[in-house]
Amino acid sequence: MSLVKKEESQVVGSTLRDVLSARKRRTALLLDISGSMSARTRNGKARIDLLRRLVAQVPAGTQAFAFNSSVQEAPLNAIPDPSGGTRLPEALKEMHLRGIGRVVLITDGEPNWPAEALQQAQGLHVDALYVGDPPMPDFMQKLGAKTGGTAGLYDLADKQLLDTVRGL
């Protein structure tokens, strides 16, 4: 009997159902690093700096991806500088390709192609954490609702966001 590693420490028999189930449980952070993340918050700090501080506090081993006009795996201690657009459809497609089933999206805006992003989100569980200026775009609610996830408006400087990310 062969074995498949599930999460980090559980082992199960490797039926196709087990393999697919284990893959769908994988969770990843999906971090917006588009050009708008260089904007300053009301406390004068750049959004990207607050995002980096937040991500540095999540548990070690958490898988993270950064996206703008492209998507890349990003070590928690090396989030790239902001640039480019918000190509969320491509980032969600990459989550499917990597076997990620649950996505914790941290973003400050709407994607370039919202309808395409909603289509690419099918089959994923997305918790959309909006960290831009109020009000939260309707797209975030639609994304959370369509995927069985959540959506909410958060302040990058608020400890509540870290507690939310750790709790997901």
Side-chain angles (χ1 to χ4, degrees):
M1 176 176 161
S2 60
L3 300 175
V4 173
K5 192 170 184 183
K6 188 161 90 172
E7 297 294 333
E8 281 297 315
S9 61
Q10 299 175 6
V11 179
V12 297
S14 65
T15 67
L16 179 57
R17 176 173 286 158
D18 290 335
V19 171
L20 293 175
S21 178
R23 287 184 69 193
K24 286 300 177 188
R25 279 196 269 284
R26 289 184 53 207
T27 300
L29 293 175
L30 185 56
L31 309 171
D32 180 351
I33 59 162
S34 64
S36 61
M37 288 297 286
S38 63
R40 302 247 173 234
T41 63
R42 59 185 153 86
N43 68 5
K45 298 191 185 290
R47 288 179 183 150
I48 192 68
D49 294 335
L50 293 171
L51 178 65
R52 287 175 176 141
R53 186 182 322 163
L54 169 78
V55 170
Q57 297 177 62
V58 301
T62 301
Q63 195 168 17
F65 294 85
F67 77 99
N68 50 18
S69 297
S70 62
V71 61
Q72 60 190 330
E73 193 159 3
L76 295 175
N77 62 352
I79 305 304
D81 290 333
S83 67
T86 309
R87 296 185 68 134
L88 183 57
E90 289 83 353
L92 294 171
K93 182 177 181 180
E94 185 69 19
M95 297 300 94
H96 285 290
L97 293 173
R98 299 283 188 121
I100 304 298
R102 186 170 189 194
V103 175
V104 178
L105 171 66
I106 302 176
T107 183
D108 71 343
E110 288 193 52
N112 295 65
W113 299 277
E116 188 179 337
L118 289 173
Q119 186 176 19
Q120 285 295 332
Q122 289 180 333
L124 296 172
H125 176 108
V126 180
D127 294 301
L129 310 181
Y130 177 71
V131 295
D133 295 328
M136 180 175 70
D138 290 341
F139 170 78
M140 296 296 143
Q141 271 312 120
K142 289 178 187 174
L143 181 61
K146 180 175 178 110
T147 64
T150 60
L153 172 64
Y154 294 89
D155 182 338
L156 273 167
D158 191 338
K159 185 181 177 322
Q160 178 191 4
L161 180 58
L162 177 60
D163 293 341
T164 299
V165 170
R166 285 181 174 162
L168 293 175

